[in-house]
Amino acid sequence: MRKILLFDIDGTILLTGGAGKRAMNRAFYDLFGIDNALEHVRLSGMTDHLIYKNACRQNDVPYTDEEHEVFRDTYLVYLREEIDKPHPEKRVLPGVEALLERLDGMPQAELGLLTGNYQQGAMTKLGHFGLDRYFSFGAYGDDSDDRDQLLPFAIKRFEARNGNASVNSESVWIIGDTPRDISCARPHGADVLAVATGNYSAEQLRSENPTALLPDLQNTEQVIAVLLGQSVATNKAEK
Ligand SMILES: [Mg+2]
């Protein structure tokens, strides 16, 4: 059966070495003259829109949609600068490139995104590493500030691209690194592969009951067996 595989970005596919946070801090400073506004704001698993809302709350700035739009546009400019800066923690996570390349060639796998990043920010981060070409649809932080609401946006976009073929959310996997990646699948009945390559340990992720849990995405055959079922490995062995 065909599977829709929706990948998170930060901590799952790649690490930016703090480029996103630096760019958000700069954008927030431009708007409000407040330095290091995101210092105490949680980022992992959050949507960009919600990060901005929380930064406003923590810094006693009233939230408005108009200022959020200015923040987003400024952030996206700064992100393109910050992602280009060298940083020891900036990298594609282990096994990801090989995995995407394999899945890209499989008719039974459809690669998409489910990320809290603004769409343009997602493409900036992926594009920096040459990985944007694998993803032609997804759900983004622009769609809703609530991660739990994102999955249907990705499905609708996939269906629209494929002649409105209808997709059952039970054929959907979310691949992510935080408890929020796990919980956002639940209202929609999708499966989750949790990976401990972000800020959460395997133990922390296990307690959220993902469908599957791996330390990382390094073992391509194992990941494919989890996401697409054992038949894939069998087919491959027969070739
Ligand atoms: Mg993440």
Side-chain angles (χ1 to χ4, degrees), residues 3-4 6 151 155 167-174 189-191:
K3 296 286 183 180
I4 314 279
L6 301 176
L151 190 143
I155 301 300
V167 168
N168 184 334
S169 62
E170 280 157 27
S171 63
V172 176
W173 278 89
I174 289 173
D191 286 311

Side-chain angles (χ1 to χ4, degrees), residues 8-12 45 147 177-178 181:
D8 169 60
I9 295 177
D10 299 278
T12 301
R147 197 178 192 100
D177 70 304
T178 76
D181 295 86

